[in-house]
Amino acid sequence: MKHAFIFGTTIFLSEQRTLTVNDGNNSTEFLRILTYYNEQKGNINQPLRIDAHIATTDGKALNITDNAVADRTDIRVELSDFRIKIFQAGHQEPVLDVYQMDKHEFHGLSSHILNEIHAQEPDRVVNIKGNFNVGEVHFFIENEKMFVDNNGYANGVVNAHHGVILSPVDHDFD
């Protein structure tokens, strides 16, 4: 099964459903897709479910286990079958937004991303946005760009043979 992860205008294609950060010394898994949304005709639909281990930009740990946040009264979770949004109190933009796209939504994507989706035919396409930390590494992901500390990603295609590994330092992980 092939998965596509979109961060701004960069697409990563992988057979693994995990996201990892490598700071140059250590690798830390920070997001895992437990289940993708799967519409079941005649049965209960299976929603998108995740585990995530991140921190808010003020450095407070934020652990999400099967879409639930523990020990944080300042965090609000918005859930649907195909999306999870995590908000910190007083903030308009989500700390983390994980959205499983439906095929009819692909037409609005950048042409290079759309071309890769058509060529590689991933089983699921997930768009990830947010403003959070993993350890000492800061992530800022919006519609047009992604920054991992000062390392910017834009308009790229990455075949992530060893899983999606993001880094604030320049490394070739393929």
Side-chain angles (χ1 to χ4, degrees):
M1 184 177 233
K2 191 176 281 190
H3 317 280
F5 297 96
I6 299 171
F7 305 91
T9 59
T10 300
I11 184 170
F12 288 78
L13 295 130
S14 177
E15 291 183 4
Q16 297 181 34
R17 44 171 94 187
T18 59
L19 305 181
T20 301
V21 63
N22 182 295
D23 65 6
N25 297 313
N26 300 303
S27 292
T28 304
E29 180 182 302
F30 67 91
L31 190 136
R32 175 181 294 272
I33 305 290
L34 300 174
T35 61
Y36 289 102
Y37 171 68
N38 187 11
E39 188 173 341
Q40 303 286 322
K41 294 186 189 231
N43 294 316
I44 296 173
N45 292 344
Q46 173 179 288
L48 173 70
R49 294 179 19 247
I50 69 166
D51 283 350
H53 306 286
I54 61 176
T56 53
T57 56
D58 60 4
K60 294 180 182 172
L62 177 52
N63 293 308
I64 303 155
T65 304
D66 200 4
N67 289 358
V69 176
D71 303 324
R72 291 290 302 264
T73 58
D74 64 329
I75 299 295
R76 177 175 49 94
V77 178
E78 288 183 9
L79 292 172
S80 71
D81 284 342
F82 48 85
R83 188 174 215 162
I84 178 170
K85 283 181 159 183
I86 310 294
F87 291 89
Q88 188 175 12
H91 295 259
Q92 295 295 321
E93 296 298 319
V95 173
L96 179 65
D97 180 1
V98 180
Y99 176 56
Q100 181 181 328
M101 299 181 76
D102 189 73
K103 291 180 184 192
H104 75 275
E105 297 173 303
F106 296 168
H107 69 277
L109 296 171
S110 297
S111 61
H112 71 284
I113 291 176
L114 191 57
N115 290 341
E116 285 302 316
I117 290 171
H118 289 310
Q120 297 205 33
E121 299 180 335
D123 297 292
R124 302 289 190 264
V125 176
V126 177
N127 194 336
I128 297 174
K129 297 178 186 174
N131 189 8
F132 56 89
N133 294 331
V134 178
E136 298 296 317
V137 180
H138 178 241
F139 285 81
F140 179 69
I141 310 160
E142 59 179 13
N143 290 334
E144 298 296 322
K145 60 190 168 211
M146 172 175 68
F147 287 98
V148 181
D149 279 347
N150 295 320
N151 193 6
Y153 292 79
N155 299 317
V157 175
V158 179
N159 285 301
H161 301 294
H162 303 291
V164 177
I165 300 172
L166 304 168
S167 181
V169 293
D170 292 325
H171 284 287
D172 183 14
F173 293 104
D174 287 336

